């Protein structure tokens, strides 16, 4: 599936914060397995792929004008187990991300 959209025009000096939040259950209470791995392990693999895919998309989003040099890209992780167990994140200026 491919969706064609056009980015809205932005002022050259504008700045936006783009945030991606991942909420994860640390308890593993389901005890379920998939292909010999715990659901927790499979979820972690999925989140790793998701993060890498988003990083790989940054140059394309910059080229389309969706992300601009002064924008900030954030990833926030919230791990819970009957309450918030841990929070951590990554914040980087879009100008510091390249296509390498």
């Amino acid at each position: 599936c491919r969706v064609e959209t056009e980015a809205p025009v932005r002022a050259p000096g504008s700045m936006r914060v783009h945030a991606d939040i991942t909420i994860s259950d640390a308890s593993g209470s389901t005890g379920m397995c998939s292909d010999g791995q715990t659901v927790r392990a499979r979820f972690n693999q999925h989140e790793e792929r998701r993060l890498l895919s988003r990083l790989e998309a940054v140059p394309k989003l910059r080229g389309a004008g969706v992300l601009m040099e002064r924008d900030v890209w954030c990833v926030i992780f919230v791990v819970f187990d009957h309450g918030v167990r841990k929070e951590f994140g990554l914040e980087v200026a879009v100008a510091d991300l390249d296509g390498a």
Side-chain angles (χ1 to χ4, degrees):
C1 175
R2 185 179 173 122
V3 178
E4 297 287 339
T5 61
E6 187 174 321
V9 177
R10 290 180 52 194
S14 67
M15 182 182 93
R16 290 186 181 166
V17 176
H18 305 269
D20 178 25
I21 301 173
T22 299
I23 300 172
S24 177
D25 178 9
S27 71
S29 60
T30 62
M32 296 176 66
C33 289
S34 171
D35 293 330
Q37 291 184 305
T38 64
V39 171
R40 160 104 330 280
R42 300 283 290 191
F43 179 80
N44 288 342
Q45 290 171 346
H46 169 72
E47 286 306 316
E48 182 179 338
R49 279 192 309 272
R50 186 172 170 245
L51 176 63
L52 292 174
S53 294
R54 289 178 180 218
L55 281 170
E56 290 171 351
V58 168
K60 293 175 188 171
L61 293 171
R62 284 175 72 182
V66 175
L67 294 176
M68 298 179 75
E69 295 291 311
R70 294 190 54 199
D71 289 352
V72 176
W73 186 71
C74 303
V75 182
I76 302 162
F77 297 92
V78 180
V79 181
F80 72 93
D81 181 6
H82 305 292
V84 175
R85 192 175 197 184
K86 184 181 252 187
E87 289 180 66
F88 56 96
L90 164 73
E91 181 179 306
V92 64
V94 168
D96 293 339
L97 296 171
D98 62 19

